[in-house]
Amino acid sequence: MKHIFQKGKDSSRPTLLLLHGTGGNELDLLPLAGMIDDRASILSVRGNVLENGMPRFFRRLAEGVFDIEDLIYRTKELNDFLDEAAQKYEFDRNAILAIGYSNGANIAASLLFHYQNALSGAILHHPMVPRRGIDLPDLSGKAVFISAGTNDPICPQEESIELESLLTQANAKVEMHWENRGHQLTIDEVNAAAAWYKETYLGGK
Ligand code: MLT
């Protein structure tokens, strides 16, 4: 998959896996990574699907209606890519923290739904429930931060709450952050994610 890897100064930090929103690319979230942890390695990936020229991580049939077959295929493709990248760039495959926005948050959630060891944790900005009616793997030990908008037209409040509940039932430790906004990524939610990261990964330092 097309990507950027930047080796961090501190190999004890998790590798930050950056996953852009629809129409974005691997450059979009680089500034965000610096705000979360400027000493961590970064792996930023471009989605392999094109929707009218806009990169995405999986196909959709309509706004909010996912092509589940393609979602499953693309989730495996990304998980396999993480295996290869960890070998190639020599980072710890068991210490990957995804940071995703919108469509990127949805594929990150899908990695958690389908693979027990794909990620060690995730920061999900405006995610949806990627898939319903399946048993999730045991996500004990995984930390997940979700930020959502109370007026998000793409992801209604109930859906964010449903995602929080599905991940919690699978034993993930989930923190939920609300913004009185829509689907846009705000500086306040990034700051909240950075505070959560410091507490969760760096013991508050
Ligand atoms: C999706 O298709 O993943 C969601 O609707 C979010 C987006 O617009 O990308």
Side-chain angles (χ1 to χ4, degrees), residues 121-136:
I123 293 174
L124 307 176
H125 295 290
H126 303 267
M128 297 168 68
V129 173
R131 203 182 156 190
R132 292 186 171 81
I134 57 164
D135 289 330
L136 271 60

Side-chain angles (χ1 to χ4, degrees), residues 47-68:
N48 263 346
V49 164
L50 282 179
E51 181 187 277
N52 301 321
M54 296 185 297
R56 284 177 55 85
F57 287 95
F58 56 89
R59 287 199 195 100
R60 61 180 164 185
L61 306 172
E63 174 76 55
V65 185
F66 301 156
D67 177 336
I68 296 298

Side-chain angles (χ1 to χ4, degrees), residues 126-154:
H126 303 267
M128 297 168 68
V129 173
R131 203 182 156 190
R132 292 186 171 81
I134 57 164
D135 289 330
L136 271 60
D138 181 4
L139 297 175
S140 299
K142 316 280 178 201
V144 182
F145 174 93
I146 299 176
S147 61
T150 49
N151 298 309
D152 189 332
I154 294 172

Side-chain angles (χ1 to χ4, degrees), residues 1 69-84 93 107 110-111 114-115:
M1 299 182 77
E69 205 177 307
D70 191 59
L71 173 70
I72 294 167
Y73 175 80
R74 299 292 172 188
T75 304
K76 180 178 186 310
E77 177 182 58
L78 180 57
N79 193 44
D80 290 347
F81 172 74
L82 295 178
D83 292 345
E84 285 162 30
R93 175 66 183 87
I107 193 85
S110 183
L111 281 171
H114 291 101
Y115 297 99

